[in-house]
Amino acid sequence: MKKLIFTSTFTILLKDFQSIGKKFQKQCIMKKFVLFTCVFLLSGFVSLAQQERISASSKEMKEKEAIMKVIEEETAAYYANDINRWAATFLQDSTNVFLNATKTGYNHISGWDNIFTNAHNTFNGQQADNREVKTPLVIRMNDGMAWVVYKDQVFNTQDQLVNEFIGTTILEKKDDSWKIVYRNTIWTDSYRQHDLFFINSINYAKSLGKPLEEFGQFTGEQFKAAWNRDNFSVNVLENWRSWTTADNFKILEQDEDHLIFTANNAFSNFKMYGQILNVSYDDQMTVIKALFEHLAEHTDNEYTQENTADGVRVSVAKKISTGK
């Protein structure tokens, strides 16, 4: 009888344990399902957020490409000498502003009517056969406005760098198209270029049949009062440094008694135009050589200027005193 009771009790307990086990198994399965569902939904949310970020990034990239395309089109229309095509890149209203700065000055034109009228002076014939490479430095967009700062390099048909400038352009989105409302160019090359009055003086000397060496000596004679033995090499250095860029200027040797440096790509506008006011690059270099040689003689220095493939190599040295 006891055995029967024990067996019955064990059977009941076993069934209870089985029931509890099944419930526990179901709960585990349910928890796993819930956990899987949460992970799945969370992954979906993360994936959606990633897609939105990718989509926003892609949209921003396309907008930037569209902005640079307008700036490139304005340049292309200029070289095509097509004033109407050029005008189509601008927002044609009274808020438009044009600024341009060079070594010799700047100009400021406000309002589309004034800008377009002035443009006729530029679109009056065949443009130079150059190409420009624009490198964006900053592109920012906000509420249908875009601000772009870029470096522009100008190359001739021989693929030589002949000029460069820093450009700033502001565009406004109108009828789903970007239009230029402000443009400013700073011609960095002009800040290291020769003075046009000096070039014209060379032209005048040539018109009189004067040797260029003679004109260079004459110019040196006018300037020699401001030069002396001690500051000659420094002044030569600073003059040549102003005629080129830092990356094209290299000091090879320098001490108290001598100086050797190279200056490349000096007077680069000659590469673009060939001649300026009937003066060539070789004319300019001949006059400068004669000028510095005359000043060197006045200050008891020696000056040597040699043309190279990329520019010049200049040597300056103090004359050794003989003690006489």
Side-chain angles (χ1 to χ4, degrees), residues 152-300:
D152 195 302
Q153 294 177 300
V154 185
F155 295 87
N156 63 14
T157 53
Q158 285 75 46
D159 208 33
Q160 296 172 313
L161 178 64
V162 295
N163 218 331
E164 58 185 345
F165 65 86
I166 298 296
T168 301
T169 300
I170 297 176
L171 304 92
E172 182 177 333
K173 201 164 191 181
K174 194 77 171 179
D175 298 329
D176 207 34
S177 297
W178 289 102
K179 299 293 182 180
I180 299 170
V181 296
Y182 170 90
R183 199 189 72 165
N184 180 24
T185 53
I186 301 176
W187 291 87
T188 53
D189 182 73
S190 72
Y191 285 87
R192 63 178 185 269
Q193 290 304 318
H194 42 266
D195 191 337
L196 287 179
F197 289 103
F198 184 62
I199 291 296
N200 197 45
S201 297
I202 298 175
N203 183 26
Y204 181 64
K206 290 178 66 175
S207 72
L208 297 177
K210 299 289 184 180
L212 295 180
E213 292 81 0
E214 182 180 323
F215 175 73
Q217 293 169 5
F218 172 81
T219 305
E221 186 67 21
Q222 311 311 305
F223 296 157
K224 70 179 185 180
W227 292 63
N228 59 57
R229 178 183 174 86
D230 294 329
N231 70 7
F232 178 75
S233 63
V234 174
N235 286 342
V236 169
L237 183 71
E238 292 308 313
N239 272 274
W240 275 107
R241 199 194 297 272
S242 71
W243 292 331
T244 187
T245 55
D247 56 332
N248 281 308
F249 190 88
K250 185 176 182 180
I251 296 177
L252 304 178
E253 298 179 22
Q254 185 178 24
D255 60 30
E256 293 182 356
D257 297 320
H258 85 293
L259 168 69
I260 301 176
F261 63 85
T262 56
N264 297 332
N265 203 37
F267 311 119
S268 58
N269 268 0
F270 281 112
K271 292 180 181 179
M272 179 184 293
Y273 301 110
Q275 288 192 341
I276 302 174
L277 299 177
N278 197 37
V279 175
S280 68
Y281 174 81
D282 290 337
D283 293 339
Q284 173 81 356
M285 301 303 282
T286 298
V287 170
I288 289 176
K289 183 174 183 291
L291 185 157
F292 282 134
E293 286 177 345
H294 188 80
L295 292 171
E297 185 67 28
H298 167 71
T299 57
D300 294 324

Side-chain angles (χ1 to χ4, degrees), residues 1-268:
M1 185 67 179
K2 290 182 178 179
K3 184 177 180 181
L4 180 61
I5 294 172
F6 175 78
T7 303
S8 300
T9 302
F10 179 78
T11 303
I12 292 170
L13 289 173
L14 181 61
K15 289 181 178 180
D16 289 340
F17 277 122
Q18 288 176 341
S19 177
I20 292 170
K22 288 180 180 180
K23 288 181 180 180
F24 180 75
Q25 186 178 17
K26 288 181 180 180
Q27 288 178 353
C28 289
I29 293 172
M30 181 61 68
K31 287 181 179 179
K32 287 182 180 180
F33 176 75
V34 172
L35 179 62
F36 174 79
T37 302
C38 290
V39 171
F40 178 78
L41 291 174
L42 183 60
S43 299
F45 288 136
V46 172
S47 177
L48 182 60
Q50 288 177 338
Q51 289 178 3
E52 288 178 350
R53 284 196 296 269
I54 293 172
S55 177
S57 177
S58 177
K59 183 179 179 180
E60 181 180 354
M61 185 177 297
K62 288 181 179 179
E63 289 287 11
K64 289 181 177 180
E65 289 175 354
I67 288 166
M68 287 306 301
K69 186 175 180 180
V70 173
I71 295 174
E72 295 279 5
E73 169 63 10
E74 187 263 348
T75 300
Y78 164 76
Y79 284 114
N81 202 41
D82 189 334
I83 190 171
N84 292 320
R85 176 181 166 188
W86 174 84
T89 63
F90 290 86
L91 184 66
Q92 301 175 11
D93 64 20
S94 60
T95 64
N96 218 303
V97 176
F98 244 52
L99 295 178
N100 188 56
T102 68
K103 177 183 177 182
T104 55
Y106 72 95
N107 63 355
H108 166 220
I109 309 174
S110 297
W112 175 250
D113 290 342
N114 293 329
I115 292 172
F116 190 65
T117 299
N118 185 75
H120 282 83
N121 297 323
T122 302
F123 291 86
N124 59 1
Q126 186 67 35
Q127 307 298 346
D129 189 14
N130 295 325
R131 67 179 180 89
E132 297 185 18
V133 176
K134 292 176 171 58
T135 304
L137 304 177
V138 176
I139 302 179
R140 295 185 64 178
M141 297 177 294
N142 186 26
D143 295 331
M145 298 288 289
W147 170 49
V148 184
V149 179
Y150 60 95
K151 179 180 179 181
D152 195 302
Q153 294 177 300
V154 185
F155 295 87
N156 63 14
T157 53
Q158 285 75 46
D159 208 33
Q160 296 172 313
L161 178 64
V162 295
N163 218 331
E164 58 185 345
F165 65 86
I166 298 296
T168 301
T169 300
I170 297 176
L171 304 92
E172 182 177 333
K173 201 164 191 181
K174 194 77 171 179
D175 298 329
D176 207 34
S177 297
W178 289 102
K179 299 293 182 180
I180 299 170
V181 296
Y182 170 90
R183 199 189 72 165
N184 180 24
T185 53
I186 301 176
W187 291 87
T188 53
D189 182 73
S190 72
Y191 285 87
R192 63 178 185 269
Q193 290 304 318
H194 42 266
D195 191 337
L196 287 179
F197 289 103
F198 184 62
I199 291 296
N200 197 45
S201 297
I202 298 175
N203 183 26
Y204 181 64
K206 290 178 66 175
S207 72
L208 297 177
K210 299 289 184 180
L212 295 180
E213 292 81 0
E214 182 180 323
F215 175 73
Q217 293 169 5
F218 172 81
T219 305
E221 186 67 21
Q222 311 311 305
F223 296 157
K224 70 179 185 180
W227 292 63
N228 59 57
R229 178 183 174 86
D230 294 329
N231 70 7
F232 178 75
S233 63
V234 174
N235 286 342
V236 169
L237 183 71
E238 292 308 313
N239 272 274
W240 275 107
R241 199 194 297 272
S242 71
W243 292 331
T244 187
T245 55
D247 56 332
N248 281 308
F249 190 88
K250 185 176 182 180
I251 296 177
L252 304 178
E253 298 179 22
Q254 185 178 24
D255 60 30
E256 293 182 356
D257 297 320
H258 85 293
L259 168 69
I260 301 176
F261 63 85
T262 56
N264 297 332
N265 203 37
F267 311 119
S268 58

